[in-house]
Structure formats: structure tokens, C-alpha cells
Amino acid sequence: MSENSDESTAGGVGRRAFLGAAAFGTGAALAGFGGTAAAAATDRAAGAPQVAFPDKFGAFGGGAPGTNNRTEMDLYDCEVEGKLPIDLDGTWFRVGPDPQYPKPDKYAGDIMFDGEGHVSAFRFKNGHVDYKTRYAKTQRWKAQHEARRSLFGMYRNPTTDDPSVKGLSRGTANTQLFVHHQKLLVFKEDSPPVYMDPHTLETIDDYYTFGGKLKSQTHTAHPKIDSETGEYVSFGYEANGLCSKDIHVFSADKKGAVNWAVTVQAPYAGMMHDFAVTQKHIILYLTNMVSDMDRIRAGGVHFSYDSKMPCYLGIMRRGGDGKDLKWFTGQNLFCTHVMGAWTDGDKVTVDMDGGEGNQFPFFPSLREPFDPLKSIGLIRRFTVDLSSKTNDRYQTETIYPMISGVLSRQDDRYHTLKYRWGFINSTGGPGKPAGWAIIDHQEGKTQQCSVPDYSLSEMTFVPRKKGAPEGDGYLIGLGGSQKEAGRSDLIIFDTKAVAEGPVARVKMPFKCVGQVHGFWADAADLPAERQARKI
Amino acid sequence: MSENSDESTAGGVGRRAFLGAAAFGTGAALAGFGGTAAAAATDRAAGAPQVAFPDKFGAFGGGAPGTNNRTEMDLYDCEVEGKLPIDLDGTWFRVGPDPQYPKPDKYAGDIMFDGEGHVSAFRFKNGHVDYKTRYAKTQRWKAQHEARRSLFGMYRNPTTDDPSVKGLSRGTANTQLFVHHQKLLVFKEDSPPVYMDPHTLETIDDYYTFGGKLKSQTHTAHPKIDSETGEYVSFGYEANGLCSKDIHVFSADKKGAVNWAVTVQAPYAGMMHDFAVTQKHIILYLTNMVSDMDRIRAGGVHFSYDSKMPCYLGIMRRGGDGKDLKWFTGQNLFCTHVMGAWTDGDKVTVDMDGGEGNQFPFFPSLREPFDPLKSIGLIRRFTVDLSSKTNDRYQTETIYPMISGVLSRQDDRYHTLKYRWGFINSTGGPGKPAGWAIIDHQEGKTQQCSVPDYSLSEMTFVPRKKGAPEGDGYLIGLGGSQKEAGRSDLIIFDTKAVAEGPVARVKMPFKCVGQVHGFWADAADLPAERQARKI
């Protein structure tokens, strides 16, 4: 199917008379229409190349048909099996990269995480579930949509962009989302949030700056919500430009008004994917995934893993001027996600999942080959004693070493408090199925939510009701049926009856768009539907 | 998964700890929320039962997850492989039943064809294809959407409806669609068309009556367009109520103004799924699938197959008063779709596909068991000599007996003219793959478009360009990949290079919603996009 000229065909039935699945999937380069179309084109979109993602798995958007979803959907009243908790009233949001357009050949090696953010919402009410997905209509998405082609080059590398998009935000809004001050804020850590209507998923602001008060070019994908005040606490690294060491930390009240902000400095520019907030402290974590200006100038990706560089844990008081920020070193651990954190007197504790080496093989390792064993994520407990003025070391221990996994979560109502219940997407092991592990830090016990023949995405904890005790509720998330070509179910476990298996599943008719993270918003935290647009 | 109480579970891991695909698919009745919800309900939707279609294939909406699609979609710029004809400019529409809600248990045996019409549009332009689907927002769809449950009972049986929907149209708009006078008209033969915007697929009129001029409660799914004038010619059977023998026949000019209408009588009330129009004549065909008032009163489906009843071919002049209508009998053939028809002097010829017995096993056969062999469709040529006043018989012959199939089509520009090129969805046979057969009546030759490991839906012929010779263009239609759990491709064959295999495919990331029929509209026949809503 890669070419139409077939000189060897003479009369009757040619060699391609019964073009089969094999021929469809050969992965040969397609001739495309670039030349022909360009000649006749009256605008750029008219001359845009035919849309052809690579067949090669691992290339940007590459793989078998169905690898990219790209389809905005509305499925009203999903099919449900089991006993869906009838009093659940709220929306489960999720987001992940979904490549909008194939990259030009020279950027075909770009990483999957440069796909445009595609948001899903499962609205639960009265035992019914409505499903909706929309792309976050970022500045980037809109420009590419208009042009019907990719215009942005490599991951976090503006030097590779089409000149026509200079000045536009490169943000993809593809990593995580929160509902706060009645807005659905969608995050990519290289740019400000995108504000979407939580009901319609319409994009209302493609560059949301908290009313102009966000003094950073970036914003993490992992803000936190203060457990007691409902304040939004967040940060941006590389806050003032490519490879900048500036870190902007701020908070906003329940109505979204910025009420505290400082800019501090990192020891070096590198990945700071998540952070922790306690009632008293901000805890920043700098992994040794360094921002690499040389690689950027050469047209490559933004990061390189440098095992010789130290990881740093930075701690400062909330609400201060940032001058008390102190950076601690210790065992180098490649940690991405925070499970929970708290301050107890002068002692700060942060639980994160992480490996001893690079967990992101799609970014180059500078010093040694990627080591899969060292990428295995375990739950690492970081502690720092702040009582000693001279201490500059953090301590680490591996807790629950029998559980390997990634994508740590907790009951999101306990972001800033000492917490009991943690959750992690466990990868399983010999004799141990993969699944959502529930960790009871108080009792030191673990349970596992597994579904045979399903691959589970990240889970989200949903309180049984407003005011339910910590960890009392449901774990929900998507499972892909391995026996049905990846067809998706939304799977619901009751955290108090894990052994019973899922209490319900929402049966989707297709494989849903992929995701990174998800977030539950109680109906009480959503705006009224009809007024959503006016907020 | 049908119940939550599991008294046998004690401690540790219960029997359902690893709820598997097998448990998911047991098909056990679900407890549902009817009782609980009803108590708390403040409106009907709040108390609506959990949405659970039966697992049993053959039951209404029943089968494995994914049997029902129910998802309104927008996929901008589909992935394309091969050489998509860059100068194709128009939209391929398709429609099929897609059950909106499961039926109450007592109607679970209803037929699949009672599903609500779900319309798809593939918009071709500049070598790019945009995909969009929407339900036709019929009166029925809207009432059920609001209630979040099924309110209409059995297929074409209003006695089985919920009292709340009395007076609403039962039409599902699930069978075929045409673009005429710049409107997308979507058909179900028991009701007037639904008018949708051809660009947005927004439903503009849920009961379209040609400006109040349609004097029939019904309208066929198979109108015809006059090859020379562009007139729309159509009819409705059971035009004046359930089991009425009235047939309303009418035409409308290119702007949709009704310019001729008559009401005539059928020998008995029965299925008249398609009809034929020539430059001179209207040809009606009454199959012996009889409308069965006793069965309807007993709460069953509308039709029964009665092999003892004669089939009738009725012929009358176009533009007359209908008094010249004459009914002819001959070999009883169960024919559903017209391939083509013409009048040559006093001789009328109609080609239809059909079997010797019931082709619709989901309707009961009154006299004998359903016979699969007699259901096989072959191309039947009906001829009638009108020169003899006493002749009351039609003649039939089976042409191309080596090709069995259903869903006959032609180059739609030749509806009323002697035609050369016919198309049929061939079912194949021993050593013969299934596929789209192309019949050249002039040369008496056939070709077949097949794709190994794909199941092909009905094809639509697309002219290569405006004014292209008859049959010169493309056959397009959906194929389901048997190796990829039914994932869909839109497959495109060049009618002048069939042996080369498909020239291109549009690679869909999922299994598309099912269809019955499709229709191609050239861009010149679509309204301007921005004015579509105002027409």
C-alpha cells in the first residue's frame, strides 16, 4: 500500500489484488501528497501532507492503528455492570498525551509525552455515568489544527519549531488536571495551566495565569491542595525561561486569588516533576535529569540523565520570603511522584516512588546505559531533621520493599497532613499480579486490587461521601482488556471490600484514549452547569 | 459481578478477589437500582435503571461489550494510508441502528433494527478526511435521553410504548440518508425524514415534511433522484396509519418543493422497503412480509413472513393521478433493494437482489421454518410488458447467478436511466471471497473488490469528479479488521483499477458504529458551512 505504481501487474489480477492486513501494516514510507497538494494549495492547510503516523512502535505516535485516539467523544449514559455506588456524585477527570499530528521525519524520534493533552470526564450521578473527551485547546493545538500539520518540533525544545508559531505557548496540557475555584485546570509542567469548563470540557483560557498573578512561565502538573484551608499550592521550575534555575512557588486561596508567591533558585536546572506541601513546609525535589542546553541547541529533547549529579531535596517554610530554602543531599533516587508528606515538629517526611537510576529510558542516560533494574520504582521515605542547623543531608529508607510500582497517590484530601492510606500502581512480579496496591501506613499492611487479563492505568481515590474518613471510599481507574484488543472498562473497587473484587465496571465500547493522571471532583466542587461558561 | 453479598467470603482473599473476564461476561441478571433509586428519585431520570444491555447476542442491543457504540464522535484529520484521491471533495454519509437504551425485559427480544439512528460523516477535502458522528435527534431519542431509559417498546408497534410518549414520532432515522435541496435527510420507513445539518450533523427538524407538504405518516428509506431533472421522488407505505394499505407517492423539485403527489392502494399491507423510478414510471414492490395486526395487538413485531401471499409489482406513470396503477404477480421473490431500473418503450425492467424465501429471520415465518438456502440473495431481473392490456404477470430471471449478495447499489446519478454499472455486497462462497462485486451489464462481466481478513459493509459509488462517466470513480465503504477485534478502516477502491487492490484506507482508531446504508454527497451539493444552520 506504500505505492500505487505497479509495473509488474499485467492484466487480470495483480499482486495486490487482495491487499491484506500484512500489506496494510508493512510500515513502508508513504508517498504522501506534499508535492502535488502544495502546487494547488491556496493556504497552508490545503497543502498539508496526508496524515500518516509511523507504523513503528516507539516513534512519535507510532504503532498499530488505534495507538493514537484523537477523537473527541460524548457517550451519554455508559453501560454499567455490577453495583455502581448510586450516591457517587461528581466527575472523574483524566488526561494524557494523544498526538494530534505526526511529526516531520526529522522529529519522528520525539517522545510520546509530547502528544497533545486529551481530557476525559466520567460524570457520575444517580447510578449513571456520562463520558466526554475533548482535547485541551492549547495555543499549540489551535495552530496545528488550522494548519492540519505538526508545527512544534521536539519535546520542550522551541529551537525546533516552525517559525510561524514563534511566541505561541508550547504547552500541551497533557499530564494532570485539578478542579479548583470551580475551574478545571489542566497541566503540563512547561507552561501555565489551561482552563477548561468542567462540564463541557470547552477550553476557556489557553494560558491561565490566575488573573495575571502567575509570575512564572511554567507550572507543575502536581499542585497540592491544603487539607485545612483548601488553598491551592503550586510551583513552576525553569520559571523564567529555558534552563532557568528559577523556581516560582505560590499559593492561591479557595477562590483562586494568589495570596503568596516567592521565586527561589535551584542548584541546577533539571526535572522537578512533583513536590510536597505540608502544613508548614514546601518540599522541592530536583532529580538528576538535567536540562541540557547543548542537546536543546542540537535539536534534541530537553533532558539528559546524569547519574553523577546529586539529587536535591529543598525545604522552606510556607508563607515566607524563600530565603530559608535549604537544599539537602543524600542517596540519589530518581523519584517522580509524591505519595504523601507531613511535618512533625522539626521533622519533615516525604514518601515518593522512585528508582535508583533513570526511570525515563526515552531520555538519554549520559554516563551509562539505561538499566531496567535500577529503574524499578519502590516507595522511598525521605526524612530530614531540621533541628540541626548544620545538617545538609536527607535520610532515605525503602518502605514496603515487596511492592514495586509507579504513580503514587493518596486520598487527595490529605495532601498536607500526616496520612495513613497510600496507593500505588504496582507492577507486580513473579507470582504477584499487577494492580492497585493499597498501603495502610498505620497498620503496616497492604492489599492489592487486581483484575486478571486487564492492564490498569493510574487509580484515583474517591471518598465514599463528603466527610468520609481517610481512605474510605473507592479506587477507580481504567483497565484495558488484553483479550479484547485493549477495550477499556472503568473499574471500581471499594477500598473496604477489596477482596470482593471490583464492585462495578463501566463498560466502554472501545479502547479509551490513554492517560497519565486522573482526579476526582465532588459535585459540590463543580460550578453549576448552566453558569459554567460565565465564571 | 451480579451481586455484592458474598457470605462465603471470610477474611483474606474471597472467591471474587480476582474478578476475571469470565466473571465479567457471565450475563447474570444485574440487580439494578430501580427500587432504591425510585425511592429517592425527584424526577424520572434520577430513578432510571442502571444501563445494562444483555450479554446475549441476538437480544436487543445484546452481545459482547462494544456491540453498541452510542458515542458521538469528532475525529479531525483521520490517519490515511495509500494514495487518497486528493481531488475528492464531498462527504460520505452513513447511518445504522445503535441502541440508545436497553429495552425492558419484556421487550428484550426486539430486533436490532429498532436501534436509534446514528449518523456518520466522512468529509473528504484536499487529501484529508474528517470524521463526525451524531445520533439523529428524533422525538423518540430526545424523550429517552431525558428519561435515561427506553420508552418505546417493540419494533413498529406503538401499543407497547410507555404512555408518556403517546403522540411522539416512533421514527428512529436509522436506515439511509440523502442530501437533497442542501439538507441531510435521514430515513426510517415508518416515519418522515429527520433533517440534519450536513456539516455539523445537528438535528434541525425531527419530523421533516417538506414544508408541510408531505401528506403521509411514513416515508421510505430509499427515495430516488431523477437523473435528468434532479427531482426527488419518494413514497411512503402504510401512509395513513398502522397497517394502512395507503401508499403515498410524491416528488419534489431540486429546491424541495413538492410538485406531484398521489395516494394509491396496496393489495394488502406489507413491507415495501425500496421502490424504483424510471424516466416514465413508478414501480412499487410489495413483498409477502405482511403487516400483522394480530401480532401487533399481542405486543409483537410488526411483520410476519407469509409464503402463501403473492408478491406484487405495481407500475404507474409518473406525474399522473395514480389511477393507472396496475399490480402484477409472478414468481414470489423476497426482494429488498433495487440495483437499477428503466423504461424502454412499453417494457419496464427492474433489477433487485432477493431470495426465494424470507431474508429476515428476525421476523417470524408463518408457514414454514426459516430456510437459510432460500434466503440467499441473487440478482433478479423483473420485466413487465405494458403493451398488453390483459397482461397481469411480471417475468423474472436470475442474472449473474454466480454472485450472491445483498445491498445492491448503482451509480446514484443513474437512478432513473438505463444503467450499465451495478454493485452488490457479495457474500462469496466456496473458494470465492466476500467483497464488493462490480457488475458491468453492458459487457456481462463482473469484478470483485475484496480485502482479506476484513468484513465489508455496504459500498457507495463515488464519481471520480463531477461529470465523470457512469461507474468511473471509487467504491468506498467500511471494513472491519477481523484480526483487530473489528477495528474499522474506510476502504477505497478505484473502479478502474480493482485488481490493484484498495488505493487507500482511512485508518480509524476503533470499531466504528455499525451501518445499514451510505450516501455520497459532492461538495457542490452541500450548503455553505457557515450558512448551514440558516437554511
Side-chain angles (χ1 to χ4, degrees), chain A residues 404-422:
Chain A
S404 61
V406 291
L407 301 164
S408 284
R409 295 295 296 263
Q410 68 179 136
D411 180 335
D412 287 332
R413 299 172 301 169
Y414 284 75
H415 276 173
T416 60
L417 297 178
K418 182 164 187 184
Y419 74 112
R420 173 175 176 180
W421 299 97

Side-chain angles (χ1 to χ4, degrees), chain B residues 49-183:
Chain B
Q50 190 167 298
V51 178
F53 283 92
D55 291 341
K56 188 184 167 197
F57 181 80
F60 181 76
T67 298
N68 309 305
N69 180 293
R70 305 173 70 244
T71 309
E72 299 188 316
M73 299 187 176
D74 284 277
L75 172 45
Y76 184 80
D77 239 346
C78 300
E79 294 187 52
V80 175
E81 187 173 278
K83 290 209 169 185
L84 192 75
I86 196 167
D87 48 358
L88 270 189
D89 189 1
T91 302
W92 184 56
F93 296 99
R94 54 194 287 275
V95 66
D98 188 14
Q100 181 189 8
Y101 279 100
K103 304 249 182 187
D105 286 348
K106 61 181 168 178
Y107 303 131
D110 199 5
I111 67 170
M112 185 270 276
F113 285 101
D114 206 38
E116 284 68 20
H118 194 158
V119 172
S120 311
F122 287 87
R123 178 75 175 93
F124 288 71
K125 190 173 185 179
N126 292 321
H128 290 251
V129 184
D130 303 328
Y131 175 71
K132 183 188 285 285
T133 85
R134 290 292 183 276
Y135 268 113
K137 303 295 160 56
T138 59
Q139 295 178 11
R140 166 177 171 147
W141 186 95
K142 286 183 276 195
Q144 295 184 150
H145 184 82
E146 188 71 24
R148 287 186 180 264
R149 69 168 86 209
S150 171
L151 297 171
F152 290 77
M154 292 295 277
Y155 178 78
R156 295 187 70 171
N157 186 344
T159 72
T160 56
D161 294 347
D162 187 282
S164 67
V165 296
K166 190 174 167 65
L168 294 186
S169 172
R170 304 187 86 250
T172 49
N174 72 10
T175 313
Q176 171 61 315
L177 26 61
F178 268 35
V179 170
H180 194 267
H181 53 289
Q182 302 203 318
K183 294 173 175 64

Side-chain angles (χ1 to χ4, degrees), chain B residues 513-527:
Chain B
V513 59
Q515 77 172 79
V516 183
H517 299 292
F519 183 86
W520 173 261
D522 190 277
D525 296 324
L526 298 172

Side-chain angles (χ1 to χ4, degrees), chain A residues 427-443:
Chain A
T427 46
K432 281 181 56 184
W436 301 326
I438 301 179
I439 294 157
D440 178 353
H441 289 296
Q442 182 176 299
E443 298 291 331

Side-chain angles (χ1 to χ4, degrees), chain A residues 1 4 12 17 19 24 33 48-51 70 72 74 76-77 80-82 84 101 128 130 145 148 452 499-501, chain B residues 6 12 17 19 24 33 48-51 70 72 74 76-77 80-84 101 128 130 145 148 452 499 504:
Chain A
M1 199 122 181
N4 269 349
L19 182 67
F24 272 163
F33 289 107
Q50 191 167 297
V51 179
R70 304 172 71 243
E72 300 188 317
D74 285 276
Y76 184 81
D77 239 345
V80 175
E81 188 173 279
L84 193 76
Y101 279 102
H128 290 251
D130 302 328
H145 184 82
R148 286 185 181 266
E500 300 292 311
Chain B
D6 186 357
L19 182 67
F24 272 163
F33 288 108
Q50 190 167 298
V51 178
R70 305 173 70 244
E72 299 188 316
D74 284 277
Y76 184 80
D77 239 346
V80 175
E81 187 173 278
K83 290 209 169 185
L84 192 75
Y101 279 100
H128 290 251
D130 303 328
H145 184 82
R148 287 186 180 264

Side-chain angles (χ1 to χ4, degrees), chain A residues 1 4 6 9 11-14 16-21 23-25 30-31 33 36-37 45-46 48-53 55 65-66 68-86 101 126-130 145-146 148 433 450-454 483-485 487 489 491 493 498-505 507-510, chain B residues 1 3-4 6 9 11-14 16-21 23-25 30-31 33 36-37 45-46 48-53 55 65-66 68-86 101 126-130 145 148 433 450-454 483-485 487 489 491 493 498-505 507-510:
Chain A
M1 199 122 181
N4 269 349
D6 186 356
T9 302
V13 174
R16 301 200 302 133
F18 292 90
L19 182 67
F24 272 163
L30 294 167
F33 289 107
T36 317
Q50 191 167 297
V51 179
F53 283 91
D55 290 341
N68 310 305
N69 179 293
R70 304 172 71 243
T71 309
E72 300 188 317
M73 301 187 173
D74 285 276
L75 172 45
Y76 184 81
D77 239 345
C78 301
E79 294 187 51
V80 175
E81 188 173 279
K83 291 209 168 184
L84 193 76
I86 197 167
Y101 279 102
N126 291 324
H128 290 251
V129 183
D130 302 328
H145 184 82
E146 189 71 24
R148 286 185 181 266
S450 297
V451 185
D453 301 320
Y454 274 66
K483 291 184 172 172
E484 298 167 90
R487 193 194 54 76
D489 283 327
I491 290 170
F493 275 87
V498 168
E500 300 292 311
V503 294
R505 62 166 175 163
K507 296 193 283 187
M508 306 303 288
F510 35 64
Chain B
M1 198 124 179
E3 44 183 276
N4 268 346
D6 186 357
T9 300
V13 174
R16 300 199 303 133
F18 293 91
L19 182 67
F24 272 163
L30 293 167
F33 288 108
T36 317
Q50 190 167 298
V51 178
F53 283 92
D55 291 341
N68 309 305
N69 180 293
R70 305 173 70 244
T71 309
E72 299 188 316
M73 299 187 176
D74 284 277
L75 172 45
Y76 184 80
D77 239 346
C78 300
E79 294 187 52
V80 175
E81 187 173 278
K83 290 209 169 185
L84 192 75
I86 196 167
Y101 279 100
N126 292 321
H128 290 251
V129 184
D130 303 328
H145 184 82
R148 287 186 180 264
S450 297
V451 185
D453 301 320
Y454 274 68
K483 291 185 173 174
E484 297 167 90
R487 193 193 54 75
D489 283 327
I491 289 169
F493 275 87
V498 168
E500 299 291 311
V503 295
R505 63 165 174 164
K507 296 193 282 188
M508 306 304 288
F510 35 64

